[in-house]
Amino acid sequence: MGKVTGFLEFERLEEGYEPVEKRVKNYKEFVIGLTNEQAKIQGARCMDCGTPFCNNGCPVNNIIPDFNDLVYHQDWKNAIEVLHSTNNFPDFTGRVCPAPCEAACVLNINNDPVGIKSIEHAIIDRAWQEGWVKPQPAKVKTGKKVAIVGSGPAGMAAAQQLARVGHDVTVFEKNDTIGGLLRFGIPDFKFDKSHIDRRVKQMEAEGVVFKTNTIVGELPKGSKVTNWAKETVSPEQLKQDFDAVLLAGGSEQSRDLPVPGRDLAGIHFAMEFLPQQNRVNAGGKVKDQIMATGKNVIVIGGGDTGSDCVGTSNRHGAKSVIQFELMPQPPEQENKELTWPYWPIKLRTSSSHEEGCEREFAIATKEFIGENGKVTGVKTVRVELKDGKFVEVAGSEQTLKADLVLLAMGFVNPVNTMLEGFGVEKDARGNAKASTDVGGYKTNVSGVFAAGDVRRGQSLVVWAIREGRQAAREVDAFLMGSTTLPR
């Protein structure tokens, strides 16, 4: 695949970034993609490894060596055909996927892996430019009706697959626009929402009907999840009106930090903070928007969501930004002999960190300090891992200034009560209980399926697309007795 000696001749080439001083002044995407020639050279690095571990490293099992080879030979049109055969939305994953395929690349054993994500990004951008991404409406309709609850990447992928085999698909979304946490949880500077909009247009041309501002079931009382719903549909109504229902909602219940002072003003979940800015960027108005301007910001949580809070705070003009991580600082370079081809734990510095951020590891929050009902500081202590438990380091307590605290410690389960409304059994984590075995994604309720974060818990966009595609196959088989959709 690629050029036989390419991996010996060419070095990995990373995508470029706009300068920090320029990009922090706006919310536009700032990644500079590869040119056609650069992508060709990167494709040449794909070695004839015999066993392409990258395929299994990729949750949607992209046929990576094939499209690398096609890009090397500048056959872009066939490259997008191969890419679309396993991934409905490479324009999403080419921007926000962490690329576990690259960790699994055989070349990664003792060299820099092939830049698979950058090649995927180049392929789909070229495809849109050339007009190769077109609606694929079904030639024959089945007369079967499917309801999909949730319009994130899992719901969108399932909807597109099911529409293309002839089913009448309606997607229900509680917010006023399509995309789920893909739209509201990921900052625009990482992922411009025009990529969702053009896919929605493609899917509408394929026959998918989107119903926004509609909630299925009810939100729990006191829920802090923004609910724009103007219409409510009961689970019973969906089961009556549709031949099958796929639950593809998100895992939106944020993990809380119940320490003294938690009720002080100025302490917010990341998913209260980030969606507001996305709405403003889209031209909407947000009353009492949470702003980091001129504030000492502390972000609690060292993952991608925390990093997104860092980048957004910097664009607001924060006075300072500190990010906490409970775990000790990981090594800068993984031990590849121990970790390959699996996703390694190593220090990852995001583009948001490079824009300005102090990072603290092995630190725990003891208490929030405040004056006049507002947070003014965070009392912390250093911790060590001993026998699998965190132990406080004596004498390490300190108090850091904080005018705004953002909790970005992950998500625990869905917030909507629709699972109870449908009578769907839950697993130990509060997610929908549905197997992924052959014939899986079925819940205990006949005709009701579950996929994405509502089933597996908080995960990656690429995992959501995989689940949506696989669930669509099971729904189709349930409705028709057999299916031609791929796993």
Side-chain angles (χ1 to χ4, degrees):
M1 295 299 172
K3 187 178 182 182
V4 175
T5 57
F7 70 98
L8 298 172
E9 299 176 33
F10 306 115
E11 298 294 324
R12 177 184 169 99
L13 178 64
E14 301 284 354
E15 293 180 312
Y17 290 162
E18 292 280 356
V20 170
E21 60 273 14
K22 180 179 180 180
R23 70 188 194 231
V24 296
K25 294 178 181 179
N26 59 68
Y27 294 89
K28 298 178 182 178
E29 285 187 8
F30 53 81
V31 173
I32 303 171
L34 303 182
T35 65
N36 291 350
E37 186 60 30
Q38 289 171 333
K40 175 181 178 178
I41 292 173
Q42 286 304 291
R45 296 187 72 237
C46 187
M47 58 198 300
D48 189 8
C49 58
T51 304
F53 284 81
C54 57
N55 287 29
N56 286 331
C58 172
V60 292
N61 303 121
N62 277 337
I63 312 170
I64 294 165
D66 294 54
F67 69 63
N68 284 344
D69 184 60
L70 289 165
V71 168
Y72 170 62
H73 288 99
Q74 296 291 279
D75 187 354
W76 292 88
K77 195 166 186 178
N78 275 322
I80 189 57
E81 291 295 323
V82 170
L83 184 51
H84 268 153
S85 71
T86 56
N87 185 354
N88 296 68
F89 311 121
D91 27 6
F92 301 174
T93 54
R95 288 171 167 80
V96 299
C97 183
C101 56
E102 294 185 13
C105 176
V106 171
L107 188 56
N108 190 43
I109 295 173
N110 63 351
N111 203 326
D112 292 327
V114 175
I116 300 166
K117 179 180 175 181
S118 63
I119 294 173
E120 179 178 337
H121 187 181
I123 292 171
I124 186 58
D125 279 7
R126 174 74 181 271
W128 279 109
Q129 291 166 9
E130 298 290 346
W132 296 332
V133 184
K134 297 179 179 179
Q136 299 176 35
K139 295 179 181 178
V140 179
K141 302 293 285 186
T142 65
K144 301 291 186 179
K145 298 169 63 178
V146 182
I148 296 178
V149 183
S151 70
M156 289 182 69
Q160 185 165 68
Q161 294 293 94
L162 289 167
R164 287 178 174 179
V165 291
H167 302 307
D168 293 320
V169 181
T170 302
V171 178
F172 295 87
E173 169 57 48
K174 70 177 184 291
N175 286 291
D176 52 353
T177 39
I178 298 300
L181 288 181
L182 186 67
R183 181 178 293 275
F184 296 110
I186 299 177
D188 291 349
F189 55 81
K190 285 178 63 175
F191 181 76
D192 190 276
K193 304 315 179 286
S194 63
H195 306 303
I196 302 175
D197 296 336
R198 62 187 178 185
R199 285 296 185 177
V200 169
K201 288 182 181 179
Q202 178 196 28
M203 292 170 66
E204 287 177 333
E206 294 170 343
V208 177
V209 175
F210 293 97
K211 293 198 66 175
T212 57
N213 295 307
T214 304
I215 191 166
V216 177
E218 298 177 355
L219 285 173
K221 292 182 179 179
S223 172
K224 292 188 177 182
V225 175
T226 301
N227 178 20
W228 296 77
K230 297 177 182 177
E231 182 180 343
T232 300
V233 178
S234 70
E236 291 77 13
Q237 190 68 46
L238 285 192
K239 288 191 288 185
Q240 177 180 323
D241 293 346
F242 293 87
D243 299 296
V245 178
L246 173 62
L247 307 180
S251 180
E252 298 179 83
Q253 182 62 59
S254 300
R255 181 173 284 108
D256 208 343
L257 186 58
V259 299
R262 171 63 180 89
D263 57 345
L264 290 168
I267 304 171
H268 303 275
F269 290 120
M271 283 302 111
E272 296 175 282
F273 176 67
L274 296 173
Q276 290 187 352
Q277 187 59 56
N278 284 4
R279 289 189 179 279
V280 170
N281 294 346
K285 294 182 179 180
V286 175
K287 184 179 179 180
D288 300 323
Q289 183 184 355
I290 303 165
M291 297 295 294
T293 311
K295 295 179 180 179
N296 296 298
V297 180
I298 290 182
V299 179
I300 301 179
D304 288 341
T305 303
S307 172
D308 293 343
C309 290
V310 170
T312 302
S313 295
N314 282 327
R315 282 161 179 75
H316 281 184
K319 183 178 181 180
S320 67
V321 183
I322 303 175
Q323 185 179 19
F324 287 1
E325 170 55 56
L326 185 64
M327 298 295 292
Q329 181 171 330
E332 292 190 13
Q333 181 63 51
E334 75 272 28
N335 185 335
K336 293 182 178 181
E337 292 182 355
L338 290 176
T339 62
W340 182 88
Y342 301 108
W343 184 250
I345 296 175
K346 67 177 183 179
L347 182 65
R348 302 178 191 277
T349 300
S350 73
S351 58
S352 292
H353 295 141
E354 294 170 352
E355 293 165 3
C357 172
E358 183 180 342
R359 303 172 73 182
E360 295 284 352
F361 293 89
I363 189 169
T365 300
K366 294 272 288 183
E367 183 181 355
F368 296 116
I369 308 299
E371 294 180 7
N372 301 319
K374 295 182 179 181
V375 68
T376 58
V378 179
K379 187 176 180 180
T380 68
V381 64
R382 297 291 171 176
V383 292
E384 294 178 336
L385 263 177
K386 291 184 178 179
D387 299 323
K389 296 181 179 180
F390 287 105
V391 179
E392 296 183 4
V393 177
S396 65
E397 291 188 358
Q398 59 178 334
T399 299
L400 300 175
K401 286 184 179 180
D403 307 302
L404 174 64
V405 177
L406 300 172
L407 306 180
M409 303 176 295
F411 306 86
V412 291
N413 52 255
V415 299
N416 199 320
T417 56
M418 70 176 175
L419 295 183
E420 290 92 333
F422 279 100
V424 171
E425 290 182 5
K426 299 180 184 179
D427 63 17
R429 297 181 298 164
N431 299 315
K433 189 175 182 180
S435 170
T436 55
D437 295 336
V438 175
Y441 294 93
K442 296 178 181 178
T443 69
N444 60 297
V445 181
S446 178
V448 178
F449 299 75
D453 288 3
V454 74
R455 190 203 68 82
R456 66 177 284 117
Q458 178 197 12
S459 194
L460 305 175
V461 169
V462 67
W463 270 109
I465 294 172
R466 172 196 171 99
E467 295 239 330
R469 286 173 61 88
Q470 291 194 336
R473 174 185 170 86
E474 302 305 330
V475 171
D476 187 38
F478 168 78
L479 294 174
M480 307 303 293
S482 63
T483 181
T484 58
L485 288 174
R487 279 189 60 82

